[in-house]
Amino acid sequence: MRHLLLLLFILFTSCQKEISATLIVDIKPGDSTVETEIFQHPSKLYRDSIFYREFSKNEFPVRLPQKVKIDSLAKGNYTFVYPDMYGKLIKQNVTIDESKIYHLNIYPDVTKKFSKKNIIPNLKDGESAEIKLKFRGCFSGGESSFHILKKNNQIEVSRNNVSKVLDEKQTRYLVNLENSVRQLDYGWCSTSHEIIFILNDRTDTIIDAGCEFHSLAKFEKFLKRNGL
């Protein structure tokens, strides 16, 4: 009887299929309006909470979107760990239990953290704010600005004597852009951007010198998309 049970166990285990899956990590910009975002950071992959593999920044394409293919993965719970554009370590999980292609979508420019210092969503009716955009490079520089007015519970943006009342989607984009910019806390690029938020006697200056987020381009493209 013991030999029969042992034989059945051997037959059962030998008949089990080995898993060999592929994981494709799609690293995309959450803001698709700007195609110049750069993302090159070392990332790590864990299997069942045990370190599995590290990816150097040179294994990623320079610009977003990026696609990383990882072959021959066995069954298990995998965690992809990477730093976002705000210096925070992000973990995303995927369970592999079949021999197939799995996809993991990553948006390194998207943050779930909300800054308490945001001006735009906290404007009172009739209140106006100014946003100045400055850039400094090795051989060039420039400056522009625009105004934001809250009127009748709507946001109106104006520049160079041209104004536009934003719809809900446009307002949400502008609010999210301010929120993202306020969380940039690094810099290593020769060209730096200054975003200055002015409300009454309060002035907040944010410096984006990271060569990744391209905050100035995002503001300028938003204004041009809306005829400003």
Side-chain angles (χ1 to χ4, degrees), residues 7-196:
L7 179 60
L8 289 173
F9 176 76
I10 294 172
L11 288 172
F12 174 77
T13 54
S14 63
C15 289
Q16 284 185 314
K17 292 182 179 179
E18 291 187 4
I19 299 297
S20 181
T22 296
L23 175 63
I24 296 178
V25 182
D26 290 307
I27 308 175
K28 310 172 183 180
D31 182 359
S32 59
T33 63
V34 178
E35 300 176 354
T36 57
E37 286 186 339
I38 297 172
F39 183 74
Q40 276 197 306
H41 292 280
S43 305
K44 295 180 180 180
L45 184 67
Y46 293 82
R47 178 190 173 200
D48 296 330
S49 302
I50 299 173
F51 174 76
Y52 182 81
R53 181 180 169 185
E54 183 170 4
F55 303 88
S56 71
K57 65 180 183 179
N58 296 324
E59 293 185 64
F60 295 92
V62 175
R63 298 189 182 277
L64 297 182
Q66 303 167 351
K67 196 180 294 289
V68 180
K69 185 179 179 182
I70 311 167
D71 289 315
S72 305
L73 295 179
K75 182 178 181 179
N77 296 310
Y78 289 83
T79 303
F80 192 79
V81 182
Y82 65 96
D84 65 11
M85 289 188 178
Y86 313 100
K88 184 179 178 182
L89 210 59
I90 306 297
K91 299 179 180 180
Q92 287 194 232
N93 302 314
V94 58
T95 298
I96 290 178
D97 52 13
E98 294 183 56
S99 295
K100 66 177 187 178
I101 298 175
Y102 291 81
H103 289 268
L104 192 62
N105 295 324
I106 287 176
Y107 303 93
D109 60 344
V110 174
T111 176
K112 294 181 180 179
K113 183 179 178 182
F114 199 78
S115 174
K116 295 180 180 179
K117 295 182 179 181
N118 288 337
I119 284 179
I120 300 171
N122 295 316
L123 284 174
K124 299 176 182 178
D125 203 59
E127 204 168 36
S128 176
E130 181 182 11
I131 297 180
K132 292 184 178 181
L133 309 172
K134 297 182 179 181
F135 76 92
R136 294 196 305 269
C138 296
F139 306 103
S140 61
E143 178 180 344
S144 65
S145 65
F146 64 97
H147 289 80
I148 298 173
L149 170 67
K150 186 170 185 179
K151 185 178 179 181
N152 298 325
N153 210 32
Q154 290 182 302
I155 294 295
E156 181 179 299
V157 179
S158 61
R159 179 163 74 163
N160 299 329
N161 298 318
V162 179
S163 62
K164 179 178 180 178
V165 177
L166 303 183
D167 60 26
E168 185 177 342
K169 183 178 179 180
Q170 294 162 342
T171 300
R172 185 168 59 249
Y173 178 89
L174 194 57
V175 168
N176 288 337
L177 181 53
E178 178 192 2
N179 182 61
S180 297
V181 164
R182 285 186 177 274
Q183 295 179 59
L184 297 171
D185 61 354
Y186 61 90
W188 47 268
C189 198
S190 59
T191 299
S192 66
H193 301 160
E194 287 186 19
I195 301 90
I196 304 170

